[in-house]
Amino acid sequence: MSTPNATVLVDPRRTTGTIDNRVYGQFLENMGRAVYGGVFEPGSPLADADGFRRDVLAAALELAPPVLRWPGGNFASGYHWRDGVGPTEDRPTRLDLAWSTLESNHFGTEEFLRYARKLNATPYLNLNASTGSIDEALQWLSYCNSEHPVPEAALRRSGPHPDPHDVTIWGIGNENFGWWQHLHTTADSYAETAREWGKLLRWTDNRVSLVGVGSDDPDWNWTVLNEAGAVLDWLSLHFYWNEAGYEGVLAGPLLSEAEICETWGLIGAAKRRRQMHHDLRICVDEWGTWNEPYLSMINQPEVINRRIRGEVGMPVMTEPSPLVEQRFDLTDALAHACWLHVLWRHPDKITLATQAQMVNVLGPIHTTPDGIVRETTFHPLAVARRCAQNTGLNVEVITEAGIEYAGAPAGSLPALDAAATCDPASGRMHLSLVNRLPDSELLVDLDAMTGPVRRITLWADDPAAVNSPEDPDRVVPVEDRIELGGVLSMPPHSHVTLVF
Ligand code: AHR
């Protein structure tokens, strides 16, 4: 049997647009060990004077997130910002109903903003549009940004950072459509909240950019876009890929891509219908693989009934939940590489994205008391941060080869997924390729691409290979220089990056 093959056509003159750097953001939630024991561990020998883990910070800086979103997620929907400002010893401990944990509030607004500064990341604060009030939201905005003689600005001035923080990205709520959210609601009611909150946030500080909650339900999105689109800069979508099995995980980004295109159509239609002429794009402020039972529980009526009666999920968790501290394997890393391809194919549609999440909870960085492990999923993003350029290129893949998967649009997934970026000024280019075939090498015809290139390969003999404290470098990128002769041979289940 001959080796399966694919052809890749890249025309440097046909671009998909300028890639907004903010698509490489990260998400941090007060949840599990993401903050406490993750980025923040005062008293640890690995922590700096501010209590931040130095090893985590150094790894996070390799990912160089331009944006950091906080405090949630579901946690945001029960969060009251005043609990987390002022002297640490005076802050109340609260029961967090999103994740059934006790929240010490030792990591609050100032700690988050200090951390964002250390990362050189633009902060993105997510408002509590569930149990929080509009006054509380406006006061948080004033606390962060105001120079007026108002009490919230005075409170900030009495703290460690008297100058305004100038936080410009604000999210109005989180997944307000879902039963798992504090006070979840209907599209009409959420849209009204988003519109009115958005209006008052802008009247308080007209430099803000606002994210509204979108969903996988087009009816929800249509209502929010029509009723609140005028005050929004982004509609947010969340993507977690949790189908079991190799093919299921790899299908995730492809299915998300279809949803992005559908939602983009709705945005265009709503803008035309409501004569909105401002920039309104998609923000994907949670994305990643999540192969664990929590997500599959979410849609089972019996489980939902038991959860809302408090019969499961309580009492307070005292240990980190294994539900959210999954380990990632090479298959997950391939899915993450394919997702980056989606960002590069649609820079006109997606201008903000934050990976869920940065540390421990579903994160590419995993901590132990003595150090960190870079998960497999760390590497595609780290490679992208080193190699990707500022402009997406139109890439065409031609192949007959693929793997069967009933959940995919055509009943199968093409063997190859590819995307490319370039910097028109310098002529630099990078091409990213994922061979989805689990057991077979793939011969990729690169048309007329020849000459010396840097090649970075992420591969292991087993697609289920993971990195662990015992074996932290089982799946790491390997770099070499090759002379490209127009055809590239890719190992099975691999991610190969070529830098021209
Ligand atoms: O990232 C974990 C959780 O997933 C977030 O809190 C929530 O927004 C989503 O359901």
Coordinates of all heavy atoms in Angstrom, one line a residue, residues 267-334:
I267 N -23.5 37.8 13.1 CA -23.0 39.2 13.4 C -23.3 40.1 12.2 O -23.8 41.2 12.4 CB -21.5 39.1 13.8 CG1 -21.4 38.4 15.2 CG2 -20.9 40.5 13.9 CD1 -20.0 38.3 15.7
G268 N -22.9 39.6 11.0 CA -23.1 40.5 9.8 C -24.6 40.8 9.6 O -24.9 42.0 9.4
A269 N -25.4 39.8 9.8 CA -26.9 40.0 9.6 C -27.4 41.0 10.6 O -28.2 41.9 10.3 CB -27.6 38.7 9.6
A270 N -27.0 40.8 11.9 CA -27.5 41.7 12.9 C -27.0 43.2 12.7 O -27.8 44.1 12.9 CB -27.1 41.2 14.3
K271 N -25.8 43.3 12.3 CA -25.2 44.6 12.0 C -26.0 45.3 10.9 O -26.3 46.5 11.0 CB -23.7 44.5 11.7 CG -22.8 44.3 12.9 CD -21.4 44.2 12.5 CE -20.8 45.6 12.2 NZ -19.3 45.5 12.1
R272 N -26.3 44.6 9.9 CA -27.1 45.2 8.8 C -28.5 45.5 9.2 O -29.0 46.7 9.0 CB -27.1 44.2 7.6 CG -27.8 44.7 6.4 CD -27.5 44.0 5.1 NE -27.8 42.5 5.2 CZ -29.0 42.0 5.0 NH1 -30.0 42.8 4.7 NH2 -29.2 40.7 5.1
R273 N -29.1 44.6 9.9 CA -30.5 44.8 10.4 C -30.6 46.0 11.3 O -31.6 46.8 11.2 CB -31.0 43.5 11.0 CG -32.4 43.5 11.5 CD -32.8 42.1 11.7 NE -34.2 42.0 12.1 CZ -34.5 41.9 13.4 NH1 -33.6 41.8 14.4 NH2 -35.8 41.9 13.7
R274 N -29.7 46.2 12.2 CA -29.7 47.2 13.2 C -28.9 48.4 12.9 O -28.6 49.3 13.7 CB -29.3 46.7 14.6 CG -30.3 45.6 15.1 CD -31.6 46.2 15.5 NE -32.5 45.3 16.0 CZ -33.3 45.5 17.1 NH1 -33.2 46.7 17.7 NH2 -34.1 44.6 17.5
Q275 N -28.4 48.4 11.7 CA -27.5 49.6 11.2 C -26.4 49.9 12.2 O -26.2 51.0 12.6 CB -28.4 50.8 11.0 CG -29.3 50.6 9.8 CD -30.0 51.8 9.4 OE1 -29.5 52.9 9.4 NE2 -31.3 51.7 9.0
M276 N -25.7 48.8 12.6 CA -24.5 49.0 13.5 C -23.3 49.0 12.6 O -23.1 48.1 11.8 CB -24.5 47.8 14.5 CG -25.7 47.7 15.4 SD -25.6 46.5 16.7 CE -25.9 45.0 15.8
H277 N -22.5 50.1 12.8 CA -21.4 50.2 11.9 C -20.0 50.1 12.6 O -19.0 50.3 12.1 CB -21.4 51.6 11.2 CG -22.7 51.7 10.4 ND1 -23.0 50.9 9.4 CD2 -23.7 52.6 10.6 CE1 -24.2 51.3 8.9 NE2 -24.7 52.3 9.7
H278 N -20.1 49.7 13.9 CA -18.8 49.6 14.7 C -18.2 48.2 14.5 O -18.9 47.3 14.0 CB -19.1 49.9 16.2 CG -20.0 48.9 16.9 ND1 -21.3 48.8 16.6 CD2 -19.7 48.0 17.8 CE1 -21.8 47.8 17.3 NE2 -20.8 47.3 18.1
D279 N -17.0 48.1 15.0 CA -16.3 46.8 15.0 C -17.0 45.9 16.0 O -17.0 46.2 17.2 CB -14.9 47.1 15.5 CG -13.9 46.5 14.6 OD1 -14.2 46.1 13.5 OD2 -12.7 46.5 15.0
L280 N -17.5 44.8 15.6 CA -18.1 43.8 16.5 C -17.6 42.4 16.0 O -17.9 42.0 14.9 CB -19.6 43.9 16.4 CG -20.5 42.9 17.2 CD1 -20.1 43.0 18.6 CD2 -21.9 43.3 17.0
R281 N -16.8 41.8 16.9 CA -16.1 40.6 16.5 C -16.4 39.5 17.5 O -17.1 39.7 18.5 CB -14.6 40.8 16.4 CG -14.1 42.0 15.7 CD -14.0 41.8 14.2 NE -13.6 43.1 13.6 CZ -12.7 43.2 12.7 NH1 -12.1 42.2 12.1 NH2 -12.4 44.4 12.2
I282 N -15.7 38.3 17.2 CA -15.9 37.2 18.1 C -14.7 37.1 19.1 O -13.6 37.4 18.6 CB -16.0 35.9 17.3 CG1 -17.3 35.9 16.4 CG2 -15.9 34.7 18.2 CD1 -17.4 34.8 15.4
C283 N -15.0 36.8 20.3 CA -14.0 36.6 21.3 C -14.2 35.2 21.8 O -15.3 34.8 22.1 CB -14.2 37.6 22.4 SG -13.8 37.1 24.1
V284 N -13.1 34.4 21.8 CA -13.2 33.0 22.3 C -12.5 33.0 23.7 O -11.3 32.8 23.7 CB -12.7 32.0 21.3 CG1 -12.8 30.6 21.9 CG2 -13.4 32.1 20.0
D285 N -13.2 33.4 24.7 CA -12.5 33.6 26.0 C -12.4 32.3 26.9 O -11.9 32.4 28.0 CB -13.0 34.8 26.8 CG -14.4 34.9 26.9 OD1 -15.1 33.9 26.6 OD2 -14.9 36.0 27.3
E286 N -12.8 31.2 26.3 CA -12.4 29.9 26.9 C -12.3 28.9 25.8 O -13.2 28.7 25.0 CB -13.5 29.5 27.9 CG -13.6 30.4 29.1 CD -14.6 29.9 30.2 OE1 -14.8 28.7 30.3 OE2 -15.1 30.8 30.9
W287 N -11.1 28.2 25.7 CA -11.0 27.2 24.7 C -10.0 26.2 25.2 O -9.1 26.5 26.0 CB -10.5 27.7 23.4 CG -9.2 28.4 23.3 CD1 -8.9 29.7 23.5 CD2 -7.9 27.7 23.1 NE1 -7.6 29.9 23.4 CE2 -6.9 28.7 23.1 CE3 -7.5 26.4 22.9 CZ2 -5.6 28.5 23.0 CZ3 -6.2 26.1 22.7 CH2 -5.2 27.2 22.8
G288 N -10.1 24.9 24.8 CA -9.2 23.9 25.1 C -9.8 22.5 25.1 O -11.0 22.4 24.9
T289 N -9.0 21.5 25.4 CA -9.6 20.1 25.5 C -9.9 19.9 27.0 O -9.2 20.3 27.9 CB -8.6 19.0 25.0 OG1 -7.3 19.2 25.6 CG2 -8.5 19.1 23.5
W290 N -11.0 19.2 27.2 CA -11.4 18.9 28.6 C -12.1 17.5 28.5 O -13.3 17.4 28.3 CB -12.4 20.0 29.0 CG -12.8 20.0 30.4 CD1 -12.5 19.0 31.4 CD2 -13.6 21.0 31.1 NE1 -13.0 19.4 32.6 CE2 -13.6 20.6 32.5 CE3 -14.2 22.1 30.8 CZ2 -14.3 21.3 33.4 CZ3 -14.9 22.9 31.7 CH2 -14.9 22.5 33.1
N291 N -11.3 16.5 28.7 CA -11.8 15.1 28.5 C -12.3 14.5 29.8 O -11.8 13.5 30.1 CB -10.8 14.2 27.9 CG -9.8 14.9 27.0 OD1 -10.3 15.7 26.2 ND2 -8.5 14.6 27.0
E292 N -13.1 15.1 30.5 CA -13.5 14.5 31.8 C -15.0 14.6 32.0 O -15.7 15.2 31.2 CB -12.7 15.2 32.9 CG -12.9 16.7 32.9 CD -14.2 17.1 33.4 OE1 -14.6 16.6 34.5 OE2 -14.8 18.0 32.8
P293 N -15.5 13.9 33.0 CA -16.9 13.8 33.1 C -17.7 15.0 33.4 O -18.9 15.0 33.1 CB -17.1 12.8 34.3 CG -15.8 12.5 34.8 CD -14.8 13.2 34.0
Y294 N -17.1 16.1 33.9 CA -17.9 17.2 34.3 C -18.8 17.7 33.1 O -20.0 18.0 33.3 CB -17.0 18.3 34.8 CG -17.6 19.7 35.0 CD1 -18.4 19.9 36.1 CD2 -17.5 20.7 34.1 CE1 -19.1 21.1 36.3 CE2 -18.2 21.9 34.3 CZ -18.9 22.1 35.4 OH -19.6 23.3 35.6
L295 N -18.1 17.9 32.0 CA -18.9 18.4 30.9 C -20.0 17.5 30.4 O -21.1 18.0 30.0 CB -17.9 18.7 29.7 CG -17.1 20.0 29.8 CD1 -16.4 20.2 28.5 CD2 -18.0 21.2 30.2
S296 N -19.8 16.2 30.4 CA -20.8 15.3 29.9 C -22.0 15.3 30.9 O -23.1 15.0 30.5 CB -20.3 13.9 29.6 OG -19.3 13.6 30.6
M297 N -21.7 15.6 32.2 CA -22.8 15.7 33.2 C -23.8 16.8 32.9 O -25.0 16.7 33.2 CB -22.3 16.0 34.6 CG -21.6 14.8 35.2 SD -20.8 15.3 36.8 CE -21.3 16.9 37.2
I298 N -23.2 17.8 32.3 CA -23.9 19.1 32.2 C -25.3 19.0 31.5 O -26.2 19.7 31.8 CB -23.0 20.2 31.6 CG1 -22.3 20.9 32.7 CG2 -23.7 21.2 30.7 CD1 -21.4 22.0 32.3
N299 N -25.4 18.1 30.6 CA -26.7 18.0 29.9 C -27.6 16.8 30.2 O -28.5 16.5 29.5 CB -26.4 18.0 28.3 CG -25.9 19.4 27.9 OD1 -26.4 20.4 28.4 ND2 -24.9 19.4 27.1
Q300 N -27.3 16.2 31.3 CA -28.1 15.0 31.7 C -29.2 15.5 32.7 O -28.8 15.8 33.8 CB -27.3 13.9 32.3 CG -26.3 13.3 31.3 CD -25.4 12.3 32.0 OE1 -25.7 11.8 33.0 NE2 -24.3 12.0 31.3
P301 N -30.5 15.4 32.3 CA -31.5 15.9 33.2 C -31.5 15.4 34.6 O -31.6 16.2 35.6 CB -32.8 15.5 32.5 CG -32.4 15.3 31.1 CD -31.0 14.9 31.1
E302 N -31.2 14.1 34.8 CA -31.2 13.6 36.1 C -30.1 14.2 37.0 O -30.3 14.5 38.1 CB -31.0 12.0 36.1 CG -31.4 11.4 37.4 CD -30.8 10.0 37.6 OE1 -30.6 9.4 36.5 OE2 -30.4 9.7 38.7
V303 N -28.9 14.3 36.3 CA -27.8 14.9 37.1 C -28.1 16.4 37.4 O -27.8 16.9 38.5 CB -26.5 14.8 36.2 CG1 -25.3 15.4 37.0 CG2 -26.2 13.3 35.9
I304 N -28.7 17.1 36.4 CA -29.0 18.5 36.6 C -29.9 18.6 37.8 O -29.7 19.4 38.7 CB -29.7 19.1 35.4 CG1 -28.7 19.0 34.2 CG2 -30.1 20.5 35.6 CD1 -29.3 19.4 32.9
N305 N -31.0 17.8 37.9 CA -31.9 17.9 39.0 C -31.2 17.6 40.3 O -31.5 18.3 41.3 CB -33.1 16.9 38.8 CG -34.0 17.3 37.6 OD1 -34.0 18.5 37.3 ND2 -34.7 16.3 37.1
R306 N -30.3 16.7 40.3 CA -29.6 16.4 41.6 C -28.7 17.5 42.0 O -28.5 17.9 43.1 CB -28.9 15.0 41.5 CG -29.9 13.9 41.3 CD -29.2 12.5 41.5 NE -28.7 12.4 42.8 CZ -27.6 11.7 43.1 NH1 -27.0 11.0 42.2 NH2 -27.1 11.6 44.4
R307 N -28.1 18.1 40.9 CA -27.1 19.2 41.2 C -27.9 20.4 41.7 O -27.5 21.0 42.7 CB -26.4 19.6 39.9 CG -25.2 18.7 39.5 CD -24.0 18.9 40.4 NE -23.5 20.3 40.4 CZ -22.7 20.8 39.6 NH1 -22.2 20.1 38.6 NH2 -22.3 22.1 39.7
I308 N -29.0 20.7 41.1 CA -29.7 21.9 41.6 C -30.3 21.7 42.9 O -30.6 22.7 43.7 CB -30.7 22.5 40.5 CG1 -31.8 21.6 40.2 CG2 -30.0 23.0 39.3 CD1 -32.8 22.1 39.2
R309 N -30.6 20.5 43.3 CA -31.1 20.2 44.7 C -29.9 20.1 45.7 O -30.2 19.9 46.9 CB -31.9 18.9 44.7 CG -33.3 19.0 44.0 CD -33.9 17.7 43.9 NE -34.2 17.1 45.2 CZ -35.2 17.5 46.0 NH1 -36.1 18.4 45.6 NH2 -35.4 16.9 47.2
G310 N -28.7 20.3 45.2 CA -27.5 20.2 46.1 C -27.2 18.8 46.6 O -26.5 18.6 47.6
E311 N -27.7 17.8 45.9 CA -27.5 16.4 46.3 C -26.1 15.9 45.8 O -25.6 15.0 46.4 CB -28.6 15.5 45.8 CG -29.9 15.8 46.5 CD -31.1 15.1 45.8 OE1 -30.9 14.3 44.8 OE2 -32.2 15.4 46.2
V312 N -25.6 16.5 44.8 CA -24.2 16.2 44.3 C -23.5 17.5 44.1 O -24.1 18.5 44.0 CB -24.2 15.4 43.0 CG1 -24.6 13.9 43.2 CG2 -25.0 16.0 41.9
G313 N -22.2 17.4 44.2 CA -21.4 18.6 44.0 C -21.1 19.3 45.3 O -20.2 20.2 45.4
M314 N -21.8 19.0 46.4 CA -21.5 19.5 47.7 C -21.1 18.3 48.6 O -21.3 17.2 48.2 CB -22.8 20.1 48.3 CG -23.3 21.3 47.5 SD -22.3 22.7 47.8 CE -22.8 23.8 46.4
P315 N -20.5 18.5 49.7 CA -20.2 19.7 50.4 C -18.9 20.3 49.8 O -18.4 19.9 48.8 CB -20.0 19.3 51.8 CG -19.5 17.9 51.7 CD -20.2 17.3 50.5
V316 N -18.3 21.2 50.6 CA -17.2 22.0 50.2 C -16.0 21.0 49.8 O -15.6 20.2 50.6 CB -16.8 22.9 51.3 CG1 -15.5 23.6 51.0 CG2 -17.9 24.0 51.5
M317 N -15.4 21.2 48.7 CA -14.3 20.5 48.3 C -13.0 21.0 49.0 O -12.8 22.2 49.1 CB -14.0 20.6 46.8 CG -14.9 19.8 45.9 SD -14.3 19.8 44.2 CE -14.4 21.5 43.7
T318 N -12.3 20.1 49.6 CA -11.1 20.5 50.3 C -9.8 20.2 49.5 O -8.8 20.7 49.8 CB -11.0 19.9 51.7 OG1 -11.2 18.5 51.6 CG2 -12.0 20.5 52.6
E319 N -10.0 19.2 48.6 CA -8.8 18.8 47.8 C -9.0 19.3 46.4 O -10.1 19.5 45.9 CB -8.8 17.2 47.8 CG -8.5 16.6 49.1 CD -7.2 17.0 49.6 OE1 -6.2 17.0 48.8 OE2 -7.1 17.2 50.8
P320 N -7.9 19.5 45.7 CA -8.0 19.9 44.3 C -8.8 18.8 43.5 O -8.6 17.6 43.7 CB -6.6 19.9 43.7 CG -5.7 19.7 44.9 CD -6.5 19.3 46.1
S321 N -9.8 19.3 42.7 CA -10.6 18.3 42.0 C -9.9 17.7 40.8 O -9.5 18.3 39.9 CB -11.9 19.0 41.5 OG -12.6 18.2 40.7
P322 N -9.9 16.3 40.8 CA -9.4 15.7 39.7 C -10.2 15.9 38.4 O -9.8 15.7 37.3 CB -9.4 14.2 40.0 CG -10.4 14.1 41.2 CD -10.4 15.4 41.8
L323 N -11.4 16.4 38.6 CA -12.3 16.7 37.5 C -11.7 17.7 36.6 O -12.0 17.8 35.4 CB -13.7 17.2 37.9 CG -14.6 16.2 38.6 CD1 -16.0 16.8 38.8 CD2 -14.8 15.0 37.7
V324 N -11.0 18.7 37.2 CA -10.4 19.8 36.4 C -8.9 19.7 36.2 O -8.3 20.6 35.6 CB -10.9 21.1 36.9 CG1 -12.4 21.3 36.8 CG2 -10.4 21.4 38.3
E325 N -8.3 18.7 36.9 CA -6.8 18.7 36.8 C -6.4 17.5 35.9 O -5.7 16.6 36.3 CB -6.2 18.6 38.1 CG -6.2 19.9 38.8 CD -4.9 20.2 39.6 OE1 -3.9 19.5 39.5 OE2 -5.0 21.1 40.4
Q326 N -7.1 17.4 34.7 CA -6.7 16.4 33.8 C -5.3 16.5 33.3 O -4.8 17.6 33.3 CB -7.7 16.4 32.7 CG -7.5 17.5 31.7 CD -8.3 17.3 30.4 OE1 -9.5 17.5 30.5 NE2 -7.7 17.0 29.3
R327 N -4.7 15.5 32.9 CA -3.4 15.5 32.2 C -3.7 15.5 30.7 O -4.6 14.8 30.3 CB -2.5 14.4 32.6 CG -2.3 14.2 34.1 CD -2.0 15.5 34.8 NE -0.8 16.2 34.4 CZ 0.4 16.1 35.0 NH1 0.5 15.3 36.0 NH2 1.4 16.7 34.6
F328 N -2.8 16.2 30.0 CA -3.1 16.3 28.5 C -2.1 15.4 27.8 O -0.9 15.3 28.2 CB -2.9 17.7 28.1 CG -3.9 18.7 28.6 CD1 -3.6 19.4 29.8 CD2 -5.1 18.8 28.1 CE1 -4.5 20.3 30.3 CE2 -6.1 19.6 28.6 CZ -5.8 20.4 29.7
D329 N -2.6 14.7 26.8 CA -1.7 13.9 26.0 C -1.4 14.5 24.7 O -1.8 15.6 24.4 CB -2.3 12.5 25.9 CG -3.6 12.4 25.1 OD1 -4.0 13.4 24.5 OD2 -4.3 11.4 25.2
L330 N -0.7 13.7 23.8 CA -0.2 14.3 22.6 C -1.5 14.6 21.7 O -1.5 15.6 20.9 CB 0.7 13.3 21.9 CG 1.1 13.6 20.4 CD1 1.8 15.0 20.4 CD2 2.1 12.6 19.9
T331 N -2.5 13.8 21.8 CA -3.7 14.0 21.0 C -4.3 15.4 21.3 O -4.7 16.2 20.4 CB -4.8 13.0 21.3 OG1 -4.2 11.7 21.1 CG2 -6.0 13.1 20.3
D332 N -4.3 15.7 22.6 CA -4.8 17.1 23.0 C -3.9 18.2 22.4 O -4.4 19.2 21.9 CB -4.8 17.2 24.5 CG -5.7 16.2 25.2 OD1 -6.9 16.1 24.7 OD2 -5.3 15.6 26.2
A333 N -2.6 17.9 22.4 CA -1.7 18.9 21.8 C -2.0 19.1 20.4 O -1.9 20.3 19.8 CB -0.3 18.5 22.1
L334 N -2.3 18.0 19.6 CA -2.6 18.2 18.2 C -3.9 19.0 18.0 O -3.9 19.8 17.1 CB -2.7 16.8 17.6 CG -1.5 15.9 17.6 CD1 -1.8 14.5 16.9 CD2 -0.3 16.5 17.0

